[in-house]
Amino acid sequence: MARYTDPVCRICRREGLKLFLKGSRCFSKKCAFERRSTPPGMNTQRRRKVSEFGMQMREKQKVRRSYSVLEKQFRNYFAKAEQHKGIAADFIVSAAVLKISRPRRPTDIPSFGTKVGDRIEVREGRRGREIFKTAAETMKSAAIPEWVSIDAAKLAGSVLAEPAREQMPLEFNEQLVVEYYSR
Ligand code: SF4
């Protein structure tokens, strides 16, 4: 399966906001966006007029990247949400809920899909790793959305319900994304 392999902090700088793609580092002073929030590789003094299409595409990329989903999969989420009323909100919710890894099936793919009722946990034998110890500490103090439950000791989480749009923490203009795919 294709994966994004470039430094992920560039994505935050490119999209102009923190997307929290590097765990506890995102909450520390090491966060690249906190240190430098300008887009990578660009002369930031130059201001370009962004077209309507450009805005739609930028917003689409922002949502897609914040859930670590590749283009084809993201487009599939859109097609799925398109079958329901309230397409814009459903689209974002689909991307969020489906993002988390499915239980009883080993995976290290962040964009792997789940559904309501699924439980995800780190294998017992791996919980002692430094990265997971840090994650457990972060989980204890993190703001947990109402639609998931967290068991920090077991490094586990369950999807309790599909979130309402207003329960999604990141700020997106999903209407722009809908317009992008509806061209
Ligand atoms: Fe983005 Fe900062 Fe996290 Fe890097 S550390 S992924 S720049 S929020």
Side-chain angles (χ1 to χ4, degrees):
M1 178 181 274
R3 286 174 192 240
Y4 179 85
T5 53
D6 288 343
V8 292
C9 292
R10 287 175 68 91
I11 297 177
C12 295
R13 290 179 55 207
R14 172 66 263 178
E15 303 305 339
L17 84 167
K18 289 179 68 159
L19 296 174
F20 300 97
L21 304 170
K22 283 197 99 171
S24 57
R25 190 183 182 96
C26 306
F27 301 94
S28 74
K29 289 178 181 171
K30 293 179 181 172
C31 169
F33 188 84
E34 296 286 355
R35 287 185 290 165
R36 192 172 173 209
S37 59
T38 51
M42 284 180 66
N43 178 355
T44 51
Q45 302 302 315
R46 213 178 90 213
R47 287 187 184 274
R48 284 186 305 173
K49 191 169 184 296
V50 183
S51 67
E52 195 177 341
F53 171 76
M55 284 195 295
Q56 293 165 352
M57 191 185 70
R58 220 37 298 138
E59 199 66 16
K60 184 268 294 181
Q61 290 291 74
K62 193 196 319 180
V63 181
R64 183 178 72 74
R65 287 169 157 176
S66 71
Y67 293 119
S68 306
V69 177
L70 294 174
E71 179 61 35
K72 188 176 173 189
Q73 189 176 6
F74 198 62
R75 194 175 276 271
N76 287 342
Y77 290 160
F78 179 79
K80 201 168 189 158
E82 204 172 20
Q83 296 163 4
H84 298 94
K85 287 182 181 173
I87 176 174
D90 275 0
F91 181 41
I92 302 302
V93 167
S94 295
V97 174
L98 293 170
K99 174 200 166 174
I100 313 164
S101 307
R102 189 166 282 154
R104 299 204 178 282
R105 192 170 160 185
T107 181
D108 60 354
I109 302 169
S111 60
F112 206 80
T114 59
K115 56 187 185 312
V116 173
D118 283 350
R119 176 185 165 87
I120 305 98
E121 66 180 37
V122 176
R123 281 183 188 169
E124 199 170 352
R126 299 191 180 176
R127 288 178 201 157
R129 290 185 182 183
E130 204 52 47
I131 187 172
F132 293 129
K133 285 183 189 167
T134 308
E137 283 308 306
T138 305
M139 286 164 96
K140 285 177 193 165
S141 56
I144 308 298
E146 293 167 11
W147 52 280
V148 293
S149 76
I150 295 294
D151 180 347
K154 291 187 177 173
L155 281 163
S158 302
V159 183
L160 301 177
E162 284 198 7
R165 175 64 184 94
E166 59 272 16
Q167 292 176 304
M168 307 301 295
L170 295 172
E171 290 179 18
F172 300 126
N173 183 343
E174 58 267 35
Q175 192 55 42
L176 285 177
V177 186
V178 172
E179 286 167 14
Y180 175 85
Y181 282 121
S182 304
R183 283 170 299 128

